[in-house]
């Protein structure tokens, strides 16, 4: 398996370019991030060139986190803002050499207006991405951590992907979120494999290093290999201490 360091959670004491170099030194095969917008895209691109790593994805801007925002794309009263941020994410990705944009839905009442808004904005995002060969990702997020998040299950995500029928649109399957919401990870991933654009891992329930907890990642990742998954596994966990001190799991899972 090939592992990607999510720099939204890992090496956060470093600047983004330095974090890319740290991920390379630590043995990661690629990187991904959350909100890189304070870093000039040329600086990210240079760090990627120097290390030979790929930057797999970034997130659209979530809005005002202090005010409770966790994404904008499904908020009917903020369409203009959501589309500006989607455009900014796509432009940054193109400039920096990032391969995918995760469009964050946000917290909603789950009603039809929010769903229609989300789908319209995803279509718009796919229109922008198609010009540049980018992937648009949607990610179900558990409602224990993010109450009211519009997209919280794979059945909903699968329906959106099927009905929009956009080749640019893929599923980001985060094992941490989906163990909390659904469980049955192996069979769920097997069913969804044709629609998956990226997989992420973290321990459940503490979201720490993926070396303990409810999910046996040694077994699950071996099963993904049997299923033919050839993508990267995103390490999107919150280190229990310093990032460097908790990296023993990489050797364990690669040996599996």
């Amino acid at each position: 398996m090939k592992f990607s360091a999510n720099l939204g959670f890992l090496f956060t004491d470093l600047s983004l370019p330095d974090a890319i170099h740290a991920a390379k030194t630590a043995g990661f095969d690629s990187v991904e991030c959350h909100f890189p917008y304070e870093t000039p895209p040329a600086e990210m691109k240079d760090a990627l060139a120097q290390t030979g790593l790929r930057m797999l994805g970034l997130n659209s801007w979530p809005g005002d986190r202090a005010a409770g925002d966790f994404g904008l794309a499904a908020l009917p009263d903020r369409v203009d803002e959501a589309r500006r941020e989607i455009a900014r994410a796509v432009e940054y990705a193109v400039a920096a050499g990032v391969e995918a944009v995760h469009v964050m839905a946000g917290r909603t009442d789950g009603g039809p207006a929010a769903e229609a808004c989300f789908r319209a904005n995803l279509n718009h995002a796919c229109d922008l991405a198609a010009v540049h060969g980018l992937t648009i990702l949607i990610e179900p997020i558990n409602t224990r951590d993010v109450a009211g998040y519009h997209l919280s299950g794979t059945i909903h995500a699968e329906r959106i992907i099927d009905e929009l029928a956009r080749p640019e649109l893929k599923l980001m399957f985060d094992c941490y979120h989906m163990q909390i919401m659904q469980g049955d990870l192996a069979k769920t991933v097997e069913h969804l494999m044709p629609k998956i654009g990226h997989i992420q891992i973290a321990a459940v329930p503490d979201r720490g290093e993926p070396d303990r907890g409810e999910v046996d990642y040694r077994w699950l990742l071996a099963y993904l290999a049997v299923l033919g998954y050839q993508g990267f596994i995103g390490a999107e966990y919150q280190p229990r201490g310093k990032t460097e001190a908790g990296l023993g799991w990489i050797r364990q899972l690669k040996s599996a």
Side-chain angles (χ1 to χ4, degrees):
M1 280 291 169
K2 301 173 292 184
F3 294 97
S4 171
N6 190 299
L7 304 180
F9 285 157
L10 306 186
F11 307 108
T12 55
D13 56 329
L14 303 174
S15 69
L16 184 54
D18 286 345
I20 292 170
H21 283 275
K24 175 69 173 182
T25 300
F28 284 98
D29 306 293
S30 63
V31 288
E32 56 199 71
C33 60
H34 287 167
F35 313 110
Y37 303 105
E38 292 184 357
T39 300
E43 292 185 14
M44 178 193 286
K45 193 169 186 178
D46 286 347
L48 294 173
Q50 290 163 12
T51 58
L53 297 180
R54 295 162 57 184
M55 180 65 76
L56 301 183
L58 56 79
N59 294 348
S60 61
W61 188 248
D64 185 351
R65 295 283 296 275
D69 289 344
F70 207 80
L72 302 169
L75 308 185
D77 59 340
R78 297 174 72 177
V79 172
D80 290 345
E81 184 181 0
R83 293 199 176 190
R84 284 197 303 271
E85 292 301 341
I86 289 168
R88 180 164 73 127
V90 169
E91 290 166 6
Y92 189 102
V94 171
V98 183
E99 299 176 16
V101 171
H102 166 213
V103 174
M104 299 184 68
R107 305 175 195 260
T108 75
D109 61 4
E115 180 69 5
C117 178
F118 190 38
R119 292 182 180 219
N121 282 330
L122 288 175
N123 258 323
H124 177 70
C126 288
D127 287 343
L128 298 179
V131 176
H132 304 288
L134 298 178
T135 297
I136 297 297
L137 296 170
I138 55 173
E139 178 187 18
I141 293 176
N142 83 78
T143 54
R144 185 169 74 195
D145 290 347
V146 186
Y149 195 74
H150 183 76
L151 183 65
S152 60
T154 59
I155 292 174
H156 184 184
E158 183 179 18
R159 186 167 64 246
I160 290 173
I161 291 169
D162 284 345
E163 293 177 5
L164 291 186
R166 297 296 302 258
E168 302 82 16
L169 186 60
K170 297 289 185 181
L171 173 68
M172 181 144 67
F173 188 94
D174 188 312
C175 295
Y176 166 78
H177 290 303
M178 291 303 93
Q179 172 67 8
I180 291 170
M181 294 301 293
Q182 300 176 199
D184 200 17
L185 296 178
K187 289 300 181 183
T188 303
V189 168
E190 180 178 359
H191 170 70
L192 292 169
M193 188 62 70
K195 298 178 175 67
I196 289 176
H198 189 45
I199 293 175
Q200 295 175 327
I201 62 173
V204 183
D206 73 352
R207 208 176 190 180
E209 286 85 351
D211 56 4
R212 66 191 76 172
E214 298 176 13
V215 180
D216 180 356
Y217 284 113
R218 287 175 63 90
W219 185 91
L220 183 61
L221 298 192
Y223 187 64
L224 291 178
V226 171
L227 294 177
Y229 181 70
Q230 297 181 356
F232 293 84
I233 301 295
E236 193 188 37
Y237 64 85
Q238 296 172 332
R240 300 182 182 102
K242 282 190 66 66
T243 299
E244 294 83 351
L247 293 175
W249 65 268
I250 298 179
R251 293 186 297 275
Q252 295 174 11
L253 294 186
K254 281 193 173 184
S255 68

